Amino acid sequence: MAERRKRMTGKERREQLIEIGRALFAQRGFDGTAVEEIAAKAGVSKPVVYEHFGGKEGLYAVVVDREMTRLLGMVTQGMSDGIHYRGKLEGAALALLEYIEESTDGFRILVRDSHAASGTGTFASLISDIATHVEYLLADEFEKHGRDGRLAPMYAQMLVGMVAMTGQWWLEVRRPRREEVAAHLVNLAWNGLSDLEATPRLRPRSRRT
């Protein structure tokens, strides 16, 4: 007689449903994913999905919230790895590309401009959160160099928007490698078009501080 499969705990079942939902939402979007399919792939009945999340909307909200939290955490950590501003920019750009590479399904869900059912906002709101972190860094830098700190929010949106849009492009093409893409992003942001480095390279992590 075949050995019966071990019954999942409530926590294990919840995590299984989250992973299945994450994959389906990334592939088909919120509207293209049905509770029936989520339940079927998990080998459970529809009521089990409702029991854990109250429906597709609840599951989607959990998935989006996890991905937004992870991405924001990685970018924030990337910025904190450097003391000087170029190092912070390098860390942030590399963190976003690292997230895209390691959490492709998650990024696909976020850039779909999260469905209102998520209850956690959209990719645009996430980018705005990241820009807020950058804004404070730029304001300090502007003031140190006698520039108008009130312009920092605008420049923060410019920088973060540039990185985010490049990330969406790289999601599909995946070349060149992420370190090279990050180096060119920083090259443009740091040096400007009039003073681009011919062969930009990221500095070793130890030199970013």
Side-chain angles (χ1 to χ4, degrees):
M1 181 177 178
E3 185 179 350
R4 295 181 63 185
R5 288 185 300 174
K6 180 182 176 182
R7 184 182 179 87
M8 285 188 178
T9 65
K11 182 177 180 180
E12 289 171 338
R13 179 66 71 191
R14 178 180 173 86
E15 290 302 316
Q16 180 204 31
L17 291 170
I18 290 172
E19 285 304 308
I20 290 172
R22 180 175 180 270
L24 289 173
F25 291 138
Q27 180 183 359
R28 302 179 184 175
F30 177 84
D31 292 327
T33 301
V35 173
E36 290 86 351
E37 187 174 11
I38 296 169
K41 284 188 174 293
V44 299
S45 61
K46 285 172 56 178
V48 174
V49 179
Y50 287 105
E51 177 186 346
H52 282 278
F53 303 100
K56 182 174 69 170
E57 294 82 2
L59 175 56
Y60 188 79
V62 171
V63 170
V64 171
D65 182 66
R66 282 192 176 190
E67 295 304 324
M68 291 181 74
T69 298
R70 183 182 180 200
L71 176 54
L72 182 58
M74 289 178 68
V75 172
T76 301
Q77 180 61 50
M79 288 191 294
S80 69
D81 285 343
I83 294 177
H84 299 299
Y85 292 98
R86 179 163 182 162
K88 290 181 182 295
L89 182 58
E90 289 180 352
L94 194 56
L96 174 63
L97 296 172
E98 181 179 346
Y99 169 81
I100 293 171
E101 193 166 67
E102 297 179 355
S103 188
T104 299
D105 280 353
F107 192 70
R108 287 190 189 281
I109 292 169
L110 293 181
V111 298
R112 286 180 185 273
D113 204 16
S114 305
H115 194 279
S118 70
T120 55
T122 64
F123 184 62
S125 68
L126 173 64
I127 294 303
S128 181
D129 288 342
I130 297 173
T132 298
H133 287 270
V134 175
E135 174 186 330
Y136 291 112
L137 299 175
L138 290 179
D140 289 341
E141 183 74 358
F142 280 14
E143 291 175 5
K144 287 179 182 178
H145 291 83
R147 295 182 175 87
D148 188 352
R150 293 174 297 180
L151 296 176
M154 180 177 68
Y155 277 87
Q157 292 289 338
M158 291 175 180
L159 285 172
V160 174
M162 179 178 71
V163 175
M165 291 301 295
T166 302
Q168 291 188 54
W169 164 80
W170 190 72
L171 172 68
E172 304 301 334
V173 299
R174 296 302 178 96
R175 62 178 186 272
R177 61 192 181 89
R178 69 187 186 200
E179 290 81 6
E180 188 174 348
V181 175
H184 282 279
L185 269 170
V186 174
N187 187 25
L188 176 59
W190 191 259
N191 296 309
L193 286 172
S194 63
D195 196 26
L196 288 177
E197 298 168 0
T199 54
R201 296 286 186 274
L202 294 179
R203 295 178 297 172
R205 185 177 296 272
S206 60
R207 290 184 58 199
R208 294 181 201 165
T209 58

